[in-house]
């Protein structure tokens, strides 16, 4: 393989290796362009270490206008058939998450939130449902992120 072709293959594979695995679960007209959790790793599940903090960063293009934005987080532990709410210290996605509000349709939005992964949390696999809600509590974006607590 030529050096140029090897470089192109590497450039095509590296972004996939660095991105986290997530599934859109009902983003309303929004286009999610980037989702990162630091630290996380690059496997099929994001590895979160109990007793540490993790930061979620989402970049998306808004599909609608909204005067405000609120974050909502739920977790579903393996074997449990429903999502359990997770309290954020401040769920205001504008002031605590760094979004630009009011949200303008087609604007690029950046949301960032740090959360403490408490030692009291059990070492389990879970599915995290992270939503950014508009002023009417409808999903602007909705992401399902598989995680492993260690």
């Amino acid at each position: 393989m030529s050096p140029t072709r090897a470089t192109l293959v590497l450039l095509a594979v590296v972004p996939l290796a660095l991105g986290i695995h997530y599934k859109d679960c009902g983003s309303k007209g929004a286009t999610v362009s980037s989702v990162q959790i630091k630290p996380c790793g690059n496997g099929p599940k994001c590895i979160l270490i109990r007793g540490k903090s993790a930061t979620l960063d989402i970049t998306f293009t808004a599909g609608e206008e909204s005067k405000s934005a609120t974050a909502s987080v739920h977790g579903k532990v393996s074997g449990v058939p429903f999502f359990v709410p997770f309290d954020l210290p401040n769920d205001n996605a504008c002031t605590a998450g760094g979004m630009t509000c009011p949200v303008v349709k087609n604007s690029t939005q950046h949301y960032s939130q740090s959360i403490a992964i408490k030692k009291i949390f059990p070492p389990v696999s879970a599915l995290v449902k992270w939503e950014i809600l508009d002023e009417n509590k409808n999903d602007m974006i909705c992401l399902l992120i598989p995680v492993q607590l260690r």
Side-chain angles (χ1 to χ4, degrees):
M1 182 179 291
S2 72
T4 303
R5 183 173 278 172
T7 301
L8 289 175
V9 169
L10 184 60
L11 289 174
V13 173
V14 168
L16 294 175
L18 297 176
I20 67 164
H21 296 267
Y22 70 91
K23 181 178 181 181
D24 190 293
C25 55
S27 299
K28 188 176 176 183
T31 304
V32 177
S33 56
S34 173
V35 179
Q36 295 181 345
I37 298 177
K38 298 173 190 166
C40 178
N42 61 359
K45 292 183 181 179
C46 183
I47 306 298
L48 302 175
I49 307 300
R50 295 177 304 132
K52 305 278 183 177
S53 291
T55 301
L56 171 73
D57 292 305
I58 304 170
T59 301
F60 67 99
T61 301
E64 61 183 34
E65 294 185 2
S66 181
K67 294 177 186 171
S68 62
T70 306
S72 175
V73 183
H74 294 77
K76 184 177 184 181
V77 177
S78 298
V80 177
F82 54 87
F83 284 93
V84 176
F86 180 84
D87 289 326
L88 292 171
N90 185 344
D91 65 357
N92 187 318
C94 303
T95 58
M99 286 179 53
T100 302
C101 292
V103 176
V104 176
K105 184 176 181 172
N106 295 324
S107 64
T108 299
Q109 293 288 327
H110 303 281
Y111 170 80
S112 183
Q113 180 73 52
S114 291
I115 56 169
I117 312 303
K118 298 179 182 177
K119 281 192 178 226
I120 62 169
F121 295 165
V124 295
S125 290
L127 185 61
V128 174
K129 181 179 183 180
W130 204 294
E131 300 164 286
I132 305 294
L133 307 171
D134 66 15
E135 63 193 81
N136 299 313
K137 303 301 180 199
N138 296 316
D139 282 337
M140 275 193 240
I141 63 167
C142 179
L143 304 175
L144 294 173
I145 305 167
V147 301
Q148 174 69 48
L149 301 183
R150 289 196 180 154

